[in-house]
Amino acid sequence: MKETAIVYCESMFGTMDGKTANGLVRRSDKYQVVGVIDSTKAGVDAGDYLEGKPNNIPVFASLEQALAQLSKVPDQFIYGIAPSEAFLKRNERAIVLEAMKKGMSIVNTLHEFFTNDEEFVKHSIKYGVNINDVRKPPEKKDMHLFSGRILDIKTPILAVLGTDSAVGKRTTSVILEEALIKKGLNVAFVATGQTGLIQGAKYGVAIDAIPSQFMTGEIENQIMRAYDNENPDIIIVEGQGALSHPAYISSCSIIRGSRPSSIIVQHPPKRKYLGDFTYMKMPTIQSEIELIENFSKSKVIGITINHENMSDTEISEAVTRYEKDLKLPATDVLKHGCDKLIDTLFSTYPELARKKNKVLVN
C-alpha cells in the first residue's frame, strides 16, 4: 500500500513554480496523493484543473480544511512548490509545524534542510514523525567522481533536455518511459530533480544539490546502477534547466555524466522570457539545438512542446513549423502522445525495434 500524502502548493498549483505538485498529481508511484492545498484553486478537481481530466484529487483551501474533509490524516505532508530561492517562507513555517503536530511526516523539497532546523527536529521527535530532506546530498566521502565506466555502455542513453527550467522535461521523460514499457521494452529512468525522486524513481539524484566537482560522477553513478541492476534496453535521463541558461550548470553536468547517444529537446513556444529571470529572453529552439549538439557531440532526434498559453490550433501549427524548418519529428506528449518519438527511436536504434517485435511475437 502506498502512503497517503497531501501536497502543499499555495497559489502555485498549475504554474511553473508548482511543478512538484503538478508532477505528483499527474503520477506518483510512491505516494497516494489525496489532496492539494492551494486556496486560489480550492474546490476544483486537481486533474481537471491541470489537464482537463478529473482524477478525484481535491484542491483544498488550507490544511485545516483538508483534515476536516479527508477520512483520515495523510501519512505525509509534501512541500510541492519549487521557488527559485528554494527557501521556506515565514508564514509557511507554522503550516509545516502544524502538519507534524497532526501526525504527518514531512517531505521537504527545498534547499533549506529541515533536519538542520532545531525546532523542526524537536517537533518531529515530539510527535513521532519523520523529516525527509529530498535534496540533502550524501556526505562528500560517499559521493562519486567521474570514473569513465559509462564510456563502455552500449545501451542507448536518451537525454530529455530543454530550453528553460520547468518546461516539462520530467513529464515528457516519464510519459515516454511508460509508452516504451507498453511496447515491451525494459526501460530505466534516471531522475535528476526532487520531483522525480518523490514520484518514486528508482534511480536518480537531485543534481542541483551536489557540489560541482561531483555532479558528473553522481549522474554517471546512477546510470551505472541502473545499467548493472536492470540490464535495460534503453536508459532515459531527465534534464534540468537548460544548457544555455546563465544561472544553471546542471545541464552541462547531466550531458557530461550521462554521455547521451541521442537527445530530445523540450520547448515552450509562447514563453518569451526565462522563468524567474524575466529580464532575459528565451533562446530559440534552433539556437538551443545547435548549442546542445556542439557541446554534447550527440544528435537531437526530436522536439517536444510545452503547450502553456497555447490553443490546440497553435500547438498543431508549432508542430508543423518545427518539423518543416528543423526536419525533426515534433509532438506535444500530453496532447498528442509519444508515437513520433517512439518511431524516431526505433529508426535511430533498430535493435530496439527488433526487441519490441520479439516481445510482441513471444
Side-chain angles (χ1 to χ4, degrees), residues 302-313:
I303 298 166
T304 49
I305 289 172
N306 176 316
H307 60 245
E308 63 183 36
N309 302 317
M310 297 179 73
S311 66
D312 289 346
T313 299

Side-chain angles (χ1 to χ4, degrees), residues 25-60:
V25 163
R26 287 191 175 106
R27 169 180 169 175
S28 180
D29 298 327
K30 190 172 184 178
Y31 302 110
Q32 178 189 346
V33 177
V34 296
V36 174
I37 298 172
D38 182 346
S39 63
T40 65
K41 289 97 179 177
V44 305
D45 179 279
D48 193 33
Y49 181 84
L50 197 62
E51 296 183 320
K53 301 175 183 177
N55 61 6
N56 297 315
I57 298 176
V59 180
F60 299 106

Side-chain angles (χ1 to χ4, degrees), residues 175-187 342 356 359-360:
I175 291 175
L176 179 58
E177 175 197 13
E178 291 173 351
L180 289 171
I181 289 172
K182 289 180 180 179
K183 294 290 185 181
L185 296 178
N186 181 15
V187 186
I342 292 173
K356 181 263 299 186
V359 170
L360 292 178

